[in-house]
Amino acid sequence: MGSCDARHRRVLVLVRHGESRYNAEQIFTGLLDVDLSARGHAQIAAAARLMADAGLRPRLVLTSPLLRAVRTAEGIRAALCPEAPLRESWRLAERDYGCLTGVSKRECRERWGDEAFFTWRRTLEGRPPAATAAQRASWRGLDGAGLGPLVPGGSESLADVVERVRPLWGRLLPSLVAGEGPIAVVAHGNSLRALVLLACGLGADEVERLNIPAAQPLVLEFDGRGEPLERVGHYLDPRTAEVEAGRVADEGGT
């Protein structure tokens, strides 16, 4: 594994997985275990190049157990740090979208209206209704493997995701303060929003506006007390990240 200079040892690199097949079709994926699209596979190599150019070769890679995140994490690890441990955590799984799981964003707006769409999609406390038994029976690509105590279809708010991510952040921060980074976390739009909220102390209005684009490495750096050096970190390719975040916002947000 390549060396990393001292200034990177309190660095956390967040990477949302590459585009999935359902992302491409604008379908609420949640805990459905769908694979990457062709574009998503290509995005892994681009993310790894950005990290390599910045000298960010992780000493540890953490990932969600869902396939789209695991494939992204494996690709980044293979390109940058093949000797680094790769660990999965159910706490990093995507948010459970309840009755929205497997539903297109357009259908959601048509059935429930723009206000419900915004509340369920973007706000900290908004929680979609639970899935019905018929919906659960229709799902494909969902066996619950690696999801710990999560029961797919029960539904979560972003605040719920924050609480399940909190213990993981509590274990990560001391490692970063001790200079054991860089650490890479490969996960999903909502579990990464939750992690940024915890790491940077974001308020509800700030996290509501936060859109994290696919495969754009977001760098959070900390001082010796564990305080972030920037409000929400910085992207390694800020111009592309801004464009892609705008696309996410146009679709209704992460």
Side-chain angles (χ1 to χ4, degrees), residues 135-157:
Q135 284 179 303
R136 293 172 198 250
S138 72
W139 291 339
R140 299 290 182 270
L142 179 59
D143 59 14
L147 294 179
L150 296 177
V151 179
S155 191
E156 292 179 301
S157 66

Side-chain angles (χ1 to χ4, degrees), residues 44-242:
I44 297 172
R49 282 195 299 271
L50 287 170
M51 292 172 66
D53 290 346
L56 292 168
R57 298 182 181 273
R59 297 181 177 188
L60 170 66
V61 181
L62 299 175
T63 183
S64 153
L66 295 171
L67 181 62
R68 55 199 186 272
V70 172
R71 288 206 192 280
T72 304
E74 288 175 340
I76 287 173
R77 178 176 176 265
L80 296 177
C81 50
E83 298 175 7
L86 175 63
R87 298 175 187 161
E88 296 180 12
S89 173
W90 65 269
R91 294 185 182 277
L92 290 170
E94 179 57 295
R95 174 183 171 190
D96 183 346
Y97 273 117
C99 72
L100 302 184
T101 305
V103 176
S104 74
K105 296 175 183 178
R106 186 173 75 174
E107 181 181 347
C108 173
R109 280 185 154 134
E110 290 173 351
R111 289 180 62 184
W112 289 288
D114 287 343
E115 183 176 351
F117 180 87
F118 178 83
T119 299
W120 296 342
R121 183 69 165 166
R122 300 302 304 156
T123 67
L124 190 60
E125 301 292 342
R127 183 187 293 113
T132 65
Q135 284 179 303
R136 293 172 198 250
S138 72
W139 291 339
R140 299 290 182 270
L142 179 59
D143 59 14
L147 294 179
L150 296 177
V151 179
S155 191
E156 292 179 301
S157 66
L158 180 59
D160 294 327
V161 181
V162 170
E163 291 312 308
R164 69 165 152 93
V165 170
R166 190 182 299 277
L168 184 143
W169 172 240
R171 293 191 295 270
L172 274 178
L173 183 57
S175 297
L176 291 167
V177 170
E180 297 175 7
I183 297 172
V185 175
V186 181
H188 308 269
N190 285 293
S191 50
L192 292 179
R193 287 171 73 204
L195 194 50
V196 175
L197 180 151
L198 292 165
C200 300
L202 301 189
D205 57 336
E206 292 174 292
V207 78
E208 188 176 291
R209 296 191 299 269
L210 179 63
N211 291 294
I212 298 178
Q216 288 293 321
L218 175 61
V219 176
L220 305 182
E221 189 171 1
F222 302 87
D223 65 20
R225 299 172 302 159
E227 295 296 322
L229 299 186
E230 298 173 281
R231 186 59 180 159
V232 289
H234 65 275
Y235 287 101
L236 294 180
D237 182 358
R239 181 174 299 177
T240 301
E242 182 179 2

